[in-house]
Amino acid sequence: MRIAVPTNGGGLEDTVAPVFARAPAFAIIDVEGGEVKNVKVIQNPAMNAAGGAGPMAVQTLINEGVDTIIAPQVGPNALGAIQAAGIKLYQVAPGTPVKEAIKVATSGSAGQFTAPVTPTAPAPTYRPYPATPAYPAYGFGPGWGRGWGRGWGRGGRGWGARLGYCPWTGRPNRRTLRWLYGWWW
């Protein structure tokens, strides 16, 4: 079994790093029959990546031939890459010594991490567009599409001007004053 553990510096004497993809190094340990046969430390090329660090770190471990990963937490992109590669993932607490993490994973007392199943929404159904729209394309009447062909749509001088008020000052105009107070105004 080839196990990868994200560490803070590397080696069996180190502790498990709190993150997977941004860990400084990976300790790759060959275990046969419960005994450690070989330890290799590689630097994580995805540690300072701008984006996609999880899949990049998983690809590095796939290239090393890893079949088991022990980590405290794994992001969703890295988890998808791990599951797609068929790698087993075990979860331990951050700061756990690497030796103890290996013992826990080889003995089977650590819980194997599985992704929670989330219900997915049904895919939307798309229908072809109708040949002709059910509504006119450029307004409902003659003119420039301002409504009813009279220029009373959006824009223009507004309802206040139509009712006899100045659009700039808000005061009534002469026509409104005559209507309100009679012709002597």
Side-chain angles (χ1 to χ4, degrees), residues 4 29 34 38 78 85 97 110 113 136 151 155 164-165 183:
I29 301 113
N38 188 17
F113 185 79
Y165 293 91
W183 287 104

Side-chain angles (χ1 to χ4, degrees), residues 1 25 31 71 75 77 91 93 102 106 113 124 127 132 138 157 163-164 170:
M1 178 186 325
V31 178
N77 293 337
Q91 191 171 13
I102 292 169
T106 55
F113 185 79
R127 287 180 237 128
T132 57
Y138 295 105
R157 293 172 52 203
L163 296 176

Side-chain angles (χ1 to χ4, degrees), residues 130-137 140:
T132 57
Y135 51 87
F140 293 99

